[in-house]
Amino acid sequence: MALGARPNGDRSAQTASRDVLSLSGGPLLLGLLAAGVVIGGIAFAAMGVRRSFLKKVDLPGGRVGSAVTVLGVVGYVAKGGALAIVGALLVVAAVKADPEQAGGLDAAVHTLLGLPFGQALVACAGIGFASYGVYLFFRARYAKL
């Protein structure tokens, strides 16, 4: 990227999916990988809802601690949702044996935009990613080492 390359997540996902689908048992393998991505997304969302990420930080009390907790919850849920959507796109690619159905985060955003209230969902996802990024700054500061 520093030298001007423009990575394309969707193209990378499609190429990787095509390579996996070309293997013997490729659709099954891609389906298993997709299921793993979906499970990973669910796990991240659960970490947010259950606040289990707080075990890794030693937050101060008061408003700072509360704000960081809210940022973490929103961020983990958004990250989990995004992973689950990408995994779902991979599941569709595996079931249809069509690598063009696979996609990265860009395809996930376009999928969300096609849904009712899609713009609001994408805005919420963006807020969630921003929250996760801010939370990570606090996590670096207050990490239990």
Side-chain angles (χ1 to χ4, degrees):
M1 287 178 62
L3 298 175
R6 297 191 185 269
N8 184 324
D10 289 340
R11 191 173 324 130
S12 297
Q14 290 168 353
T15 301
S17 297
R18 186 178 295 95
D19 291 345
V20 171
L21 287 172
S22 70
L23 299 172
S24 176
L28 177 62
L29 180 59
L30 184 60
L32 291 172
L33 291 170
V37 173
V38 170
I39 290 168
I42 292 168
F44 268 102
M47 286 174 64
V49 170
R50 297 175 66 199
R51 294 175 171 81
S52 61
F53 62 90
L54 292 174
K55 295 175 188 172
K56 299 178 182 180
V57 292
D58 189 18
L59 296 176
R63 293 173 23 169
V64 171
S66 297
V68 173
T69 299
V70 169
L71 289 169
V73 169
V74 172
Y76 271 92
V77 170
K79 182 177 179 179
L83 279 173
I85 292 168
V86 169
L89 292 174
L90 289 172
V91 168
V92 170
V95 169
K96 292 185 176 183
D98 181 6
E100 301 302 317
Q101 296 293 319
L105 191 55
D106 188 48
V109 169
H110 286 292
T111 299
L112 284 177
L113 285 172
L115 296 174
F117 306 105
Q119 289 180 338
L121 291 171
V122 170
C124 288
I127 291 167
F129 286 137
S131 297
Y132 187 71
V134 173
Y135 163 76
L136 290 177
F137 281 107
F138 285 103
R139 180 179 172 197
R141 167 66 178 92
Y142 296 112
K144 286 183 182 177
L145 300 176

